[in-house]
Amino acid sequence: QNCPFAQRALTSSQRMDWARSLYLDELRPQDLDLYVTEGHPGFEVWAEADVAQPFWDDFRRARILLAATEAINHKMFFDRECNDLTPYTNCFTRLDVCYDTTGLRCDPNLRYRTMGGTCNNLVNPKLGAQFSAYSRLMAPDYHDCLHSERRTAIDSIELPSPRIIGNILAENGFGIQQAAPTVSVLNVFGAFCGQLITHDTGSRINVQRYNFSGPGIQCCSQYYTRRLSEEISHPACKPIDIPVNDPFYSQFKANCLNFVSSQTTFSNDCKVGPAQQSNSVSAFMDLTIVYGDDQATQNRLRSRQSGRMITNAANVLPETPNCRQQPCYFLGDVRLNQTPMLAQWHSLFLRLHNLIAPLISANDEIAYQEGKRLTTALYQRIVFNEWLPIILGQAESINKQLTCDPSKANCGKYNQYVDPSNTNEFTHGAFRWLHAFVPSTINLYGPDKRLIMSRALSDMNSSQVNILNGNYDNLLRGVLNDPVNYGGYSPELRNRLMKDARGMGIDLFSIDIKRARDHGVPPYHTFISTCTNTPAQINNWPDLDPYFTPASLKILQTIYKSPRDIDLLVGVLGERRLTPYTILGKIGSCIIAEQFKRFKFGDRFFYQWTDGPYPFTQPQLQEIERFTMAKFLCSVSNIGSVPQNAFLTPSATNPIVACTSIPKFNFALFAK
Ligand code: HEM
Ligand SMILES: [Ca+2]
């Protein structure tokens, strides 16, 4: 290949200069007061988890690679369409800074998944593994082709502030169309299942000081009255502007919301190019939220007796006093203390594991590994066969081979060329749409359906250990009974999330929109051609008629200058529903279905595969296919009765059934 600039390959000191010019990972000690401290709204988000040294080194080298790309870009090659680099990337591939995947020796016959997801894909053992990059369905849309935020299609001026977009949408219920109330709809329990899958497969982290775990970066002045000037703020700062007349924040005179760019890393093909964000957990649906991504976490969680994992006296989750809100729980994922509903989902799997493991073997190691394998299989089974048909619609889910009956239909097979990574468009775009359906209040009901407690979302996390330890079944009844919220992002999430003592919190909607822009997620219209399989030209507002109702289009026109500007999530929230009963439209369901295809066909250890190194036997597989969420809940709680389909609100078509009428899972088939 002709590499016209090869002789100009960057020396290591030049690369360091560029890295310094970006200045993203080191700060002077005197800048320390720029960090968020306890008591700030959103402290929980900005105070980051520990990152092990080798990953820090990766992050730093990735910045150098990006700096090199930037230098090439400025001096030589990109056009405005970001096209020109592609033919030359091979000239720059081995900048000797990428991690070495050849150093990973994978045993193709290994019976169990590795910690953190390495060696699942034998062609590229890092694909989908902890700390690899989020992948993409489309080329990123950065204004400078590399890392800066997208701008309007019309005059290349900044897009409207996410807060202003949120304020307009809030007045219009976020454009969300109401489902027919006469049928069962997704319940709160089902919404939090989405969050569980999210946390299993994705976790971006903010840029932080190099090799330093502590408070996160602050981009606004104290009390959030203004953004810090660029000279004194951290280069990773991208604060969100709040209008002075904001209906909520004006009472605090707050004009700035903290926002820090995500940590970037090497692209999965290790080539020069635009910024790629790091995913700090394994992207596989392998229950890393329960078992952890690394050996140290796993060791901390195992009891070393009959394969069981440790738990607290109430058999909810292990507790620790060493946390920001004391006491709190711990398990495989650090985010579990966000709400009792999320913690409870973790607890359900912990209980299931502890029920299964001792029945498999008396040998601790065998019981643990086999218990983990079966628990993970049962999780995949309920997500693909019960949860997805509700989210995507039964027909779509079957059509895409996501939901299937292995004894009757062709369920497809593992494909090593399917990239299992989590895509930016899914995690930082479409899948956050369920945030809009989280209710503002959570209710707890006793066995006699009596209301026992009703709590605003923003008041729950500080006392969640009390709530969950004492009210396990009451909380479960609440989330199973109550429907999701159809009014759009609730004020609890838009104003009071992780609030400070004054009651001022952060705005999840603004963060979601800003995050997608920070990650280069392209706007809504770019997905139309791919998702509809027909070339679509979206140049004028009427071109969007097939995708939005006239009322929704009118709102969008008040927000954006061009139909080519619409943030992906805003489009997904407002687009026409596929059927009156689904909560997604064409583009949203297309992006989500594509991701679940990757989670299934890109996972060498997916439970249905019969040709892997260690498949389930036919009788075992048949028993797994008989597992349901209702059976799961009856096995690990004392609620006594459940909605037949536990992800849907009870109704005439989804009656509440007694646990005694549900056949038990035959664990004997799995004994070793
Ligand atoms: C009370 C409920 C919830 C709260 C308070 C919450 C809060 C958050 C926060 C603070 C973030 C990080 C935002 C950022 O800095 O970019 C986040 C990320 C995310 N949330 Fe939620 N969330 C909730 C429920 C859900 C649910 C039900 C879903 C269902 C799909 C969901 C999906 C996601 C996704 C996909 C991400 C991105 C994860 C990643 O980093 O890979 N969340 N959420
Ligand atoms: Ca995982």
Side-chain angles (χ1 to χ4, degrees):
Q1 189 187 354
N2 182 19
C3 293
F5 46 85
Q7 68 277 20
R8 292 197 233 173
L10 311 163
T11 67
S12 94
S13 78
Q14 274 173 322
R15 290 198 307 253
M16 283 315 293
D17 282 348
W18 280 308
R20 265 185 229 113
S21 75
L22 282 171
Y23 203 47
L24 268 196
D25 50 18
E26 279 183 87
L27 267 194
R28 296 157 301 163
Q30 61 265 41
D31 297 329
L32 259 178
D33 55 346
L34 299 182
Y35 290 88
V36 180
T37 47
E38 200 143 8
H40 277 87
F43 173 67
E44 294 293 312
V45 181
W46 315 120
E48 298 290 352
D50 287 348
V51 176
Q53 180 70 43
F55 298 120
W56 275 117
D57 294 340
D58 269 4
F59 292 161
R60 176 181 241 192
R61 288 195 297 265
R63 293 297 317 166
I64 297 170
L65 199 60
L66 188 65
T69 313
E70 180 158 81
I72 297 161
N73 166 33
H74 282 323
K75 295 199 172 60
M76 306 170 212
F77 294 106
F78 279 144
D79 63 7
R80 234 339 263 141
E81 300 301 309
C82 306
N83 287 325
D84 278 0
L85 196 64
T86 329
Y88 300 110
T89 50
N90 284 336
C91 305
F92 279 91
T93 40
R94 306 275 168 248
L95 275 172
D96 74 359
V97 293
C98 244
Y99 50 59
D100 187 7
T101 52
T102 52
L104 269 175
R105 276 214 298 277
C106 301
D107 173 1
N109 296 318
L110 211 63
R111 289 181 152 200
Y112 306 113
R113 296 167 187 276
T114 62
M115 300 297 306
T118 49
C119 292
N120 187 307
N121 187 297
L122 297 172
V123 181
N124 180 349
K126 279 263 182 175
L127 274 189
Q130 185 191 26
F131 285 113
S132 59
Y134 287 97
S135 59
R136 298 181 185 277
L137 297 173
M138 301 260 180
D141 192 333
Y142 293 119
H143 176 64
D144 65 352
C145 308
L146 284 173
H147 202 182
S148 73
E149 286 174 66
R150 187 166 64 87
R151 296 187 167 195
T152 65
I154 296 264
D155 48 18
S156 210
I157 290 180
E158 277 184 40
L159 289 160
S161 158
R163 180 68 188 176
I164 293 178
I165 299 178
N167 286 345
I168 298 174
L169 291 177
E171 283 166 22
N172 296 282
F174 284 80
I176 291 168
Q177 292 142 53
Q178 305 288 321
T182 47
V183 297
S184 285
V185 293
L186 187 70
N187 57 21
V188 178
F189 183 68
F192 281 95
C193 180
Q195 189 178 27
L196 191 94
I197 299 167
T198 293
H199 289 188
D200 188 2
T201 59
S203 179
R204 37 130 253 112
I205 51 175
N206 287 344
V207 168
Q208 276 173 271
R209 232 178 113 206
Y210 178 69
N211 199 15
F212 171 77
S213 335
I217 294 163
Q218 175 64 274
C219 312
C220 306
S221 64
Q222 210 187 3
Y223 302 120
Y224 296 78
T225 49
R226 58 180 174 81
R227 47 163 75 199
L228 293 176
S229 71
E230 267 183 33
E231 298 83 69
I232 62 160
S233 63
H234 193 286
C237 275
K238 294 184 179 172
I240 300 167
D241 291 323
I242 303 175
V244 278
N245 60 351
D246 187 88
F248 178 78
Y249 288 111
S250 56
Q251 62 181 300
F252 305 102
K253 300 199 168 39
N255 293 307
C256 178
L257 278 179
N258 201 21
F259 186 93
V260 180
S261 203
S262 296
Q263 181 64 59
T264 56
T265 187
F266 304 108
S267 66
N268 288 330
D269 60 5
C270 199
K271 291 185 174 173
V272 288
Q276 307 293 354
Q277 284 74 20
S278 174
N279 184 353
S280 67
V281 299
S282 118
F284 297 98
M285 283 181 55
D286 53 359
L287 282 185
T288 37
I289 36 172
V290 176
Y291 301 103
D293 276 280
D294 55 64
Q295 203 62 49
T297 310
Q298 176 169 289
N299 291 347
R300 193 166 161 228
L301 294 169
R302 285 179 66 170
S303 78
R304 302 283 169 190
Q305 281 175 351
S306 322
R308 292 166 63 98
M309 295 171 74
I310 56 171
T311 185
N312 66 355
N315 189 18
V316 177
L317 287 162
E319 280 174 40
T320 170
N322 298 326
C323 59
R324 294 188 197 102
Q325 283 153 348
Q326 299 169 356
C328 68
Y329 300 118
F330 68 95
L331 205 66
D333 186 88
V334 289
R335 294 163 289 183
L336 87 166
N337 288 303
Q338 203 181 61
T339 64
M341 293 70 78
L342 179 62
Q344 182 161 52
W345 258 109
H346 289 71
S347 166
L348 292 170
F349 283 111
L350 178 73
R351 286 183 174 189
L352 185 63
H353 174 96
N354 281 347
L355 173 72
I356 290 173
L359 298 174
I360 289 180
S361 169
N363 174 302
D364 175 64
E365 183 62 19
I366 295 174
Y368 176 80
Q369 295 298 351
E370 292 288 324
K372 179 176 171 187
R373 171 170 170 254
L374 178 55
T375 305
T376 309
L378 296 174
Y379 156 63
Q380 293 187 329
R381 148 78 206 178
I382 56 164
V383 170
F384 279 86
N385 285 44
E386 271 190 283
W387 190 80
L388 264 187
I390 297 169
I391 299 300
L392 298 175
Q394 181 93 13
E396 183 72 358
S397 199
I398 291 174
N399 197 16
K400 293 251 160 73
Q401 285 191 317
L402 295 169
T403 299
C404 66
D405 177 349
S407 68
K408 297 199 188 98
N410 172 14
C411 287
K413 55 182 188 180
Y414 172 64
N415 180 349
Q416 64 179 350
Y417 298 108
V418 171
D419 182 347
S421 326
N422 199 328
T423 64
N424 273 290
E425 291 87 347
F426 169 77
T427 298
H428 306 296
F431 208 47
R432 295 198 186 196
W433 113 112
L434 264 185
H435 280 159
F437 292 85
V438 173
S440 54
T441 311
I442 300 292
N443 299 312
L444 278 66
Y445 301 108
D448 48 2
K449 288 196 183 164
R450 194 168 43 88
L451 184 66
I452 288 188
M453 191 193 292
S454 189
R455 275 280 169 94
L457 207 56
S458 65
D459 288 330
M460 286 196 106
N461 59 347
S462 53
S463 54
Q464 69 149 356
V465 169
N466 294 339
I467 294 177
L468 206 45
N469 283 1
N471 282 286
Y472 201 90
D473 298 319
N474 298 338
L475 177 63
L476 214 41
R477 275 184 212 101
V479 289
L480 290 170
N481 183 73
D482 288 354
V484 289
N485 147 56
Y486 281 84
Y489 278 69
S490 89
E492 290 293 294
L493 291 181
R494 279 197 71 231
N495 300 330
R496 286 187 275 276
L497 179 59
M498 304 174 200
K499 64 193 177 191
D500 63 13
R502 299 171 301 164
M504 176 185 150
I506 56 173
D507 170 9
L508 189 56
F509 176 78
S510 290
I511 291 172
D512 286 344
I513 297 300
K514 187 80 169 179
R515 187 64 67 200
R517 294 180 189 172
D518 177 43
H519 286 226
V521 171
Y524 176 85
H525 77 278
T526 49
F527 297 91
I528 293 179
S529 299
T530 323
C531 284
T532 58
N533 267 332
T534 41
Q537 286 295 329
I538 308 293
N539 296 314
N540 303 301
W541 288 102
D543 297 335
L544 286 176
D545 282 347
Y547 306 99
F548 295 91
T549 61
S552 294
L553 262 192
K554 229 169 119 186
I555 300 166
L556 291 175
Q557 287 183 60
T558 65
I559 297 174
Y560 296 104
K561 287 185 186 162
S562 159
R564 299 167 71 85
D565 283 348
I566 304 170
D567 293 285
L568 176 59
L569 178 60
V570 172
V572 165
L573 287 172
E575 65 179 348
R576 286 179 201 267
R577 298 284 177 259
L578 285 178
T579 72
Y581 307 121
T582 48
I583 53 174
L584 277 171
K586 254 206 169 73
I587 305 301
S589 70
C590 159
I591 293 172
I592 291 172
E594 172 59 32
Q595 186 62 51
F596 279 90
K597 270 164 75 180
R598 290 166 186 236
F599 287 152
K600 176 174 176 176
F601 297 108
D603 179 3
R604 196 160 57 87
F605 293 95
F606 191 76
Y607 79 98
Q608 281 176 338
W609 306 147
T610 48
D611 54 359
Y614 183 45
F616 288 107
T617 64
Q618 276 311 319
Q620 288 174 335
L621 207 47
Q622 279 162 18
E623 189 59 16
I624 293 171
E625 297 294 345
R626 281 194 281 265
F627 194 70
T628 61
M629 193 66 232
K631 192 180 284 196
F632 183 175
L633 291 173
C634 287
S635 324
V636 297
S637 78
N638 296 313
I639 45 174
S641 61
V642 276
Q644 203 160 46
N645 185 329
F647 293 122
L648 294 173
T649 51
S651 72
T653 52
N654 188 37
I656 294 193
V657 293
C659 284
T660 48
S661 72
I662 298 176
K664 291 210 159 41
F665 188 82
N666 182 2
F667 292 109
L669 281 173
F670 297 83
K672 293 282 163 195

